[in-house]
């Protein structure tokens, strides 16, 4: 945990307030971390502590997560990835930030793809982990997930996700209070939105530096990465980095390794800007 971690909120639309933490080197580039479904900005505490020496580091809790607010009488449209990306865009505008190195875990990576589609100039680089650019879940799979959520409630889903996404008991213990804060509406409506999506065209058309960190233990996501890697492998600014002993939450499970991998990637971008 970070001592005296400064957390603030700001209004980004008529009915949404977003929780964020912004700290670090005032003259540095901005490094933005975005969590996955059910988590919140506390997922990246160790990254904030590590990178704040050289970067401005921004952590965010997406709508319905952490202490960010939820839409009134929400519909699936209120929890689309595009709407969450708009919240991020509005927060960046509020803070006067016009360029970021984006790092997203799982659903957070999809927010990065949306921002890339909305405003390519906003992203200096894009790093994802626990994310794939395309999923087409069956209606039965989605129905099963929603039924489990309705039967077990958020706490039951928290237990299930914790057991399947990470073998690390310490990480599961740290995730538990984060998952207990997520809105049930957010879980259900976001599940509906991310059960079937395709960002393959987005990653094909844009040529900013991208890195995909693949956790060797993240079996579910890894089975869906084949088509993505086939396309990305031919792109000049793409890098695939393996973390064999990490799962879905690589930044929490192996923070030192994750930080070093990200540090090297960011350093390459800085050097490239001067060549």
């Amino acid at each position: 945990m970070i001592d005296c971690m400064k957390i603030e909120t700001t209004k980004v639309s008529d009915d949404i307030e977003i929780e964020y933490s912004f700290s670090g080197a005032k003259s540095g580039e901005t490094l933005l971390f975005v969590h996955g479904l059910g988590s919140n900005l506390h997922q990246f505490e160790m990254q904030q502590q590590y990178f704040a020496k050289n970067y401005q580091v921004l952590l965010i809790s997406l709508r319905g997560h952490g202490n960010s607010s939820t839409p009134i009488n929400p519909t699936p449209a209120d929890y689309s990835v595009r709407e969450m990306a708009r919240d991020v865009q509005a927060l960046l505008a509020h803070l006067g930030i016009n360029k970021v190195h984006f790092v997203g875990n799982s659903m957070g990576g999809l927010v990065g793809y949306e921002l890339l589609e909305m405003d390519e100039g906003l992203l200096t680089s894009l790093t994802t982990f626990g994310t794939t650019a395309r999923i087409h879940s069956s209606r039965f799979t989605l129905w099963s997930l929603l039924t489990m959520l309705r039967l077990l409630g958020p706490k039951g889903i928290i237990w299930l996700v914790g057991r399947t996404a990470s073998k690390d008991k310490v990480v599961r213990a740290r995730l538990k209070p984060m998952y207990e804060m997520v809105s049930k509406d957010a879980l259900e409506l976001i599940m509906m939105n991310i059960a079937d999506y395709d960002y393959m065209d987005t990653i094909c058309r844009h040529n900013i530096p991208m890195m995909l960190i693949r956790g060797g233990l993240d079996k579910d996501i890894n089975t869906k990465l084949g088509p993505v890697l086939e396309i990305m492998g031919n792109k000049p600014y793409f890098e695939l980095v393996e973390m064999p002993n990490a799962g879905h939450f690589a930044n929490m499970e192996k923070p030192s390794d994750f930080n070093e991998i990200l540090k090297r990637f960011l350093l390459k971008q800085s050097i490239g800007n001067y060549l």
Side-chain angles (χ1 to χ4, degrees):
M1 297 285 184
I2 292 178
D3 293 332
C4 302
M5 182 181 186
K6 185 179 180 182
I7 297 177
E8 302 178 78
T9 60
T10 192
K11 204 165 189 178
V12 295
S13 64
D14 289 342
D15 61 345
I16 296 295
E17 283 195 352
I18 290 296
E19 172 186 50
Y20 68 95
S21 179
F22 190 39
S23 64
K26 299 302 181 185
S27 60
E29 297 175 288
T30 300
L31 185 51
L32 168 61
F33 292 92
V34 180
H35 62 84
L37 179 61
S39 185
N40 58 49
L41 58 76
H42 291 284
Q43 179 182 343
F44 293 103
E45 288 180 348
M46 287 183 281
Q47 281 65 52
Q48 185 183 62
Q49 188 173 42
Y50 183 84
F51 286 102
K53 305 177 189 74
N54 298 303
Y55 294 88
Q56 293 189 116
V57 181
L58 177 59
L59 314 183
I60 181 173
S61 293
L62 298 170
R63 58 171 60 192
H65 294 73
N67 286 311
S68 291
S69 62
T70 61
I72 300 170
N73 300 318
T75 66
D78 291 316
Y79 278 109
S80 69
V81 181
R82 175 59 60 98
E83 284 302 310
M84 290 186 283
R86 286 190 178 122
D87 291 342
V88 174
Q89 206 175 32
L91 175 62
L92 293 174
H94 167 75
L95 296 172
I97 299 170
N98 53 28
K99 295 283 286 187
V100 298
H101 292 284
F102 187 99
V103 183
N105 173 226
S106 197
M107 180 188 69
L110 306 186
V111 173
Y113 293 146
E114 280 288 344
L115 288 172
L116 184 61
E117 190 65 29
M118 293 161 65
D119 182 7
E120 180 178 15
L122 182 63
L123 303 188
T124 303
S125 69
L126 173 60
T127 297
T128 62
F129 64 105
T131 304
T132 183
R134 180 169 68 192
I135 283 180
H136 296 303
S137 299
S138 67
R139 290 185 178 180
F140 176 76
T141 298
L142 176 58
W143 175 84
S144 299
L145 288 171
L146 293 176
T147 300
M148 287 174 61
L149 173 60
R150 289 160 187 164
L151 288 174
L152 300 176
K155 289 187 178 180
I157 294 297
I158 292 162
W159 178 85
L160 181 64
V161 170
R163 299 292 295 181
T164 57
S166 178
K167 296 181 181 297
D168 190 316
K169 292 181 180 179
V170 174
V171 170
R172 293 205 300 266
R174 287 187 58 212
L175 285 168
K176 185 175 183 289
M178 298 184 217
Y179 276 68
E180 288 176 343
M181 297 179 73
V182 69
S183 156
K184 183 179 179 181
D185 286 335
L187 279 180
E188 182 170 334
L189 298 175
I190 291 172
M191 280 182 185
M192 294 170 64
N193 281 314
I194 65 173
D196 192 337
Y197 64 83
D198 195 332
Y199 289 102
M200 297 293 275
D201 185 57
T202 299
I203 62 175
C204 281
R205 288 187 294 102
H206 298 280
N207 285 312
I208 68 165
M210 296 186 194
M211 176 170 64
L212 191 157
I213 299 174
R214 179 164 60 183
L217 305 179
D218 196 5
K219 303 298 185 184
D220 187 50
I221 287 296
N222 291 345
T223 60
K224 301 174 176 68
L225 283 176
V228 179
L229 296 178
E230 187 174 340
I231 288 175
M232 297 300 285
N234 296 319
K235 295 180 74 67
Y237 304 111
F238 173 70
E239 187 171 340
L240 171 66
V241 180
E242 305 283 358
M243 290 185 66
N245 297 317
H248 196 66
F249 300 98
N251 74 297
M252 299 174 71
E253 295 163 329
K254 302 290 180 182
S256 296
D257 293 345
F258 181 92
N259 292 345
E260 285 301 314
I261 289 167
L262 182 56
K263 177 183 175 181
R264 287 196 298 269
F265 177 70
L266 295 172
L267 184 59
K268 285 182 185 178
Q269 312 322 313
S270 298
I271 293 171
N273 289 337
Y274 289 100
L275 295 179

